[in-house]
Amino acid sequence: MTENNQTQLGNTLWKIADELRGAMNADQFRDYMLSFLFLRYLSDNYEAAAKKELGKDYPTNNLFITIQKDALELKIEKKFRANQDNKVIAIENTVNIPVSPLRKWYLDNPNDIKEFEKQMRRKVHYVIEPDFLWENIADLARTQSKELLRTLQDGFKYIENESFESTFQGLFSEINLDSDKLGKNYEERNKKLCNIIQTIAEGIKEFDKGDDADYLGNAYEFLIGKFAAGSGQKAGEFYTPQRISDILSSIVILDSQDPSNGEKKKIERVLDFTSGSGSLLLNVRKKMTDAGGTIGKIYGQEKNITTYNLARMNMLLHGVKDTEFTIHHGDTLVNDWEVLNEINPSKKLEFDAIVANPPFSYRWEPSEEMGQDFRFKSYGLAPKSAADFAFLLHGFHFLSKEGTMAIILPHGVLFRSGAEEKIRRKLLEDGNIDTVIGLPANLFFSTGIPVCILVLKKCKKFDDVLFINAVDHFEKGKRQNNLLPENIDKIVETYRDRKEEIRYSRRVSMDEIIKNEFNLNISRYISTSLDEELIDLKEVNKKLVDLDKDIAKARDTHNKFLDELGLPKI
């Protein structure tokens, strides 16, 4: 699918969402819209794999089944015909009903279903029964079937509990198909869902996906961004703007010791401990594969249940198999994820790349016992008023010796005193802060404050700290400022080659940072003020003399005209 078609598809789906949500706000309708898109993706992928698996046995004609009419139906039809024709005529007691190819195969081959599904689990990692495939759901919607709502409910439960080998329990837990927002009773809700699904089905059908397996995944990402823009303050809970995501992703896939060597060939494990909808993790994966590399496994953690479900759907929508990712629903600061709670250093799970966009200056309540937590013990606890360094230290603890961590934080972490100064000081003294990147204000949906990116490493090559001041490099927007591709390229290239440029970037020695009492405020190291322009007095004098000559010449010419007219001269 071309980029233009992809944008048109995204805009079409957004228009559908905007028109159909009715009494729901954008946040509520988002979950319905994205879940239906997810079901469409699973169905497309499954049916394509089934066709390949069955080969010549995949039904292509006679796609109908013959069923018996019940006695009551026959009696009514005979009575109707008799009233119409004044005589009883022969009535056939069977009817042909069209079915999908896969349903036809299931009906014709009941003894082979178990083995077929076993093969499908091995190859595509999941199974969906024909009743719950998008084609059937869309057909129920098109025909205004009264069974649509029940079929959807059964289908969602089936996908959660039976489709995948690994559990996807609660995947649709936030999708309330019995919501009063859809209607006051079953009939109204069913009718509303028929309208929504039929409109989505028709909207998607207009676009040819071609060979692009990610076309629905890309549409999903587009809609997440649009819903985030309409959610204002709430958007920070689940979405990192694409351009900022590009910076973090491009940085962590570069060689950790010397980024100028280019991208890594493989990242064993990547982590985002505040993963939101998973977009940032997927961007790392895309950057890595585009560069010809591979990622072993993706790990994410998310506290918000709705966003956690979005992330799991997002992974599958982008072709990440259920065995290739693990998203945990839990509290990062409490560290309730068992795989990250191993005290034994030899068994600790470590990551080659860590990215994060945690909530800015989040208020938390650390206990005294938490001060002895293996993540914070050597540094101290972040203050209650701002958990920024608590998030940072959590991720940093699990960073491998050859890994890179890039985290978005508010500017305050660079200069705030007290407990944060102590943490910042130890990270600097241990040589763990590699780069400080200042970004423009008003880049996020959730806040207008300027933010920074800290790049951390456990075994960095360079003794200095690279400062990049990109605060003035952006495109001004009406509601939000935007980073242009050239702005992003400049940041990444400066980091990669450790370039120095007047008023933009500088490598600062630890001696200078110590003299500044470990304050990392970018303005202390990079001056943004313009040099005063030197004035050439001789050149200025020459221009004034020439100007006087021009004035005198113009006066003489003017006086000649006045003399001819008999008027007094000036």
Side-chain angles (χ1 to χ4, degrees):
M1 178 176 283
T2 66
E3 186 175 345
N4 185 48
N5 282 347
Q6 188 69 67
T7 301
Q8 286 182 16
L9 172 59
N11 285 327
T12 296
L13 290 172
W14 175 246
K15 184 179 179 183
I16 289 170
D18 207 33
E19 290 175 351
L20 294 180
R21 62 188 177 92
M24 295 186 196
N25 61 36
D27 285 343
Q28 293 170 322
F29 192 75
R30 174 195 68 200
D31 301 328
Y32 292 92
M33 186 78 178
L34 295 180
S35 294
F36 296 148
L37 203 61
F38 174 64
L39 179 60
R40 166 66 191 260
Y41 168 80
L42 286 182
S43 301
D44 279 1
N45 192 48
Y46 187 74
E47 289 182 285
K51 185 175 182 179
K52 184 177 179 181
E53 176 66 23
L54 294 173
K56 62 181 180 164
D57 293 329
Y58 189 76
T60 56
N61 49 39
N62 298 323
L63 297 178
F64 60 85
I65 56 172
T66 303
I67 62 172
Q68 292 283 124
K69 293 180 181 178
D70 62 34
L72 178 61
E73 191 176 9
L74 279 168
K75 186 176 180 181
I76 291 172
E77 188 171 352
K78 285 178 180 179
K79 185 176 180 181
F80 173 78
R81 291 286 183 88
N83 290 338
Q84 290 291 102
D85 305 325
N86 251 339
K87 61 180 179 177
V88 176
I89 62 172
I91 303 291
E92 292 186 16
N93 65 347
T94 61
V95 62
N96 292 332
I97 298 177
V99 294
S100 68
L102 200 55
R103 181 194 283 269
K104 174 69 173 171
W105 186 89
Y106 265 68
L107 292 169
D108 291 345
N109 301 275
N111 296 328
D112 297 327
I113 292 174
K114 187 175 180 180
E115 184 61 30
F116 166 73
E117 290 188 347
K118 182 179 177 181
Q119 283 292 94
M120 293 300 286
R121 289 190 187 279
R122 186 174 69 83
K123 293 187 176 180
V124 292
H125 293 241
Y126 67 93
V127 166
I128 300 183
E129 290 184 354
D131 281 351
F132 307 135
L133 290 168
W134 175 261
E135 185 176 349
N136 184 56
I137 298 294
D139 191 57
L140 292 176
R142 181 181 58 80
T143 57
Q144 297 287 303
S145 169
K146 293 180 180 180
E147 292 303 310
L148 173 68
L149 176 50
R150 291 190 186 91
T151 305
L152 266 180
Q153 289 172 324
D154 291 343
F156 282 171
K157 286 179 184 176
Y158 178 86
I159 292 171
E160 286 183 332
N161 301 317
E162 299 181 49
S163 279
F164 296 85
E165 292 287 356
S166 55
T167 178
F168 274 78
Q169 189 69 36
L171 189 63
F172 302 100
S173 62
E174 297 302 291
I175 312 302
N176 183 8
L177 294 174
D178 292 322
S179 171
D180 289 342
K181 298 283 186 180
L182 289 171
K184 296 177 181 179
N185 52 48
Y186 179 93
E187 288 72 23
E188 287 186 10
R189 291 193 288 273
N190 190 78
K191 185 176 181 180
K192 176 76 170 178
L193 286 169
C194 283
N195 184 32
I196 290 171
I197 291 172
Q198 183 180 1
T199 308
I200 292 173
E202 290 172 355
I204 295 175
K205 196 173 182 179
E206 294 178 16
F207 297 89
D208 177 21
K209 68 178 181 179
D211 296 325
D212 186 0
D214 273 350
Y215 86 112
L216 282 178
N218 293 335
Y220 187 93
E221 284 284 328
F222 180 91
L223 287 175
I224 285 177
K226 295 290 278 186
F227 279 117
S231 300
Q233 294 292 321
K234 294 182 180 180
E237 296 176 3
F238 64 89
Y239 188 71
T240 301
Q242 183 66 39
R243 300 300 190 192
I244 300 176
S245 175
D246 285 342
I247 299 171
L248 272 68
S249 303
S250 298
I251 285 174
V252 297
I253 69 169
L254 292 170
D255 183 86
S256 299
Q257 284 294 298
D258 189 352
S260 65
N261 289 332
E263 292 84 2
K264 298 176 181 179
K265 298 298 181 186
K266 183 171 185 180
I267 290 176
E268 289 293 342
R269 289 179 288 271
V270 58
L271 169 69
D272 182 349
F273 50 83
T274 54
S275 60
S277 60
S279 301
L280 186 48
L281 283 168
L282 287 167
N283 203 2
V284 175
R285 177 177 178 264
K286 184 177 187 304
K287 295 282 185 188
M288 194 68 185
T289 53
D290 285 350
T294 58
I295 286 181
K297 191 165 183 177
I298 291 172
Y299 291 79
Q301 181 164 353
E302 176 53 42
K303 185 178 180 180
N304 181 290
I305 181 67
T306 304
T307 312
Y308 159 68
N309 288 332
L310 287 180
R312 293 191 290 172
M313 291 184 198
N314 206 4
M315 292 292 151
L316 294 167
L317 266 162
H318 282 85
V320 187
K321 293 183 174 63
D322 59 317
T323 55
E324 297 173 337
F325 74 91
T326 297
I327 307 291
H328 175 69
H329 176 226
D331 190 328
T332 293
L333 295 178
V334 174
N335 196 24
D336 55 9
W337 194 358
E338 188 176 345
V339 299
L340 297 184
N341 221 340
E342 179 56 61
I343 298 175
N344 187 338
S346 65
K347 296 181 180 179
K348 183 177 73 171
L349 192 63
E350 294 186 330
F351 300 87
D352 301 319
I354 297 178
V355 288
N357 175 25
F360 300 151
S361 299
Y362 178 77
R363 295 189 68 85
W364 69 316
E365 295 292 335
S367 62
E368 288 185 17
E369 291 79 14
M370 197 170 281
Q372 298 303 308
D373 188 290
F374 52 77
R375 299 167 294 165
F376 311 130
K377 187 175 181 179
S378 300
Y379 300 88
L381 291 171
K384 292 181 180 181
S385 59
D388 302 308
F389 270 113
F391 284 113
L392 182 150
L393 291 173
H394 172 87
F396 186 68
H397 177 78
F398 299 105
L399 185 66
S400 71
K401 290 182 179 179
E402 295 299 321
T404 302
M405 174 177 170
I407 182 171
I408 306 168
L409 295 169
H411 261 233
V413 300
L414 302 178
F415 55 80
R416 288 192 297 239
S417 57
E420 291 182 295
E421 182 183 351
K422 290 174 63 177
I423 297 171
R424 188 170 62 243
R425 176 173 183 153
K426 178 162 178 56
L427 288 167
L428 285 165
E429 288 177 334
D430 291 348
N432 298 139
I433 297 180
D434 178 85
T435 303
V436 178
I437 303 170
L439 295 177
N442 201 29
L443 291 176
F444 287 81
F445 298 113
S446 53
T447 180
I449 65 171
V451 298
C452 66
I453 297 173
L454 289 185
V455 181
L456 297 102
K457 299 173 184 179
K458 288 191 172 176
C459 296
K460 68 173 189 169
K461 175 181 178 180
F462 304 100
D463 294 330
D464 52 39
V465 175
L466 175 65
F467 285 81
I468 300 175
N469 184 24
V471 295
D472 297 322
H473 298 256
F474 64 93
E475 177 186 56
K476 190 168 181 61
K478 290 182 180 179
R479 295 178 58 188
Q480 249 185 297
N481 293 328
N482 303 302
L483 293 174
L484 298 173
E486 54 265 33
N487 303 141
I488 296 167
D489 292 343
K490 185 175 177 66
I491 291 171
V492 175
E493 288 170 11
T494 302
Y495 165 78
R496 184 191 64 205
D497 300 324
R498 227 162 174 80
K499 290 181 187 175
E500 293 189 279
E501 182 181 323
I502 295 173
R503 288 186 291 277
Y504 187 77
S505 60
R506 184 171 166 238
R507 297 172 64 170
V508 179
S509 69
M510 276 304 301
D511 288 339
E512 186 174 348
I513 291 173
I514 292 170
K515 286 178 183 176
N516 279 285
E517 299 177 326
F518 300 94
N519 187 316
L520 296 181
N521 201 343
I522 299 172
S523 61
R524 292 202 174 203
Y525 305 101
I526 301 177
S527 174
T528 57
S529 61
L530 296 174
D531 295 333
E532 290 186 14
E533 186 180 354
L534 294 176
I535 299 174
D536 187 337
L537 294 177
K538 288 183 178 179
E539 182 64 27
V540 172
N541 183 66
K542 182 178 181 300
K543 287 181 179 178
L544 288 173
V545 170
D546 290 341
L547 188 59
D548 278 341
K549 289 179 180 177
D550 290 340
I551 292 171
K553 185 177 179 181
R555 184 186 293 112
D556 289 343
T557 302
H558 191 67
N559 281 336
K560 286 180 181 178
F561 291 130
L562 292 174
D563 189 45
E564 290 176 4
L565 295 170
L567 298 172
K569 299 179 182 179
I570 57 171

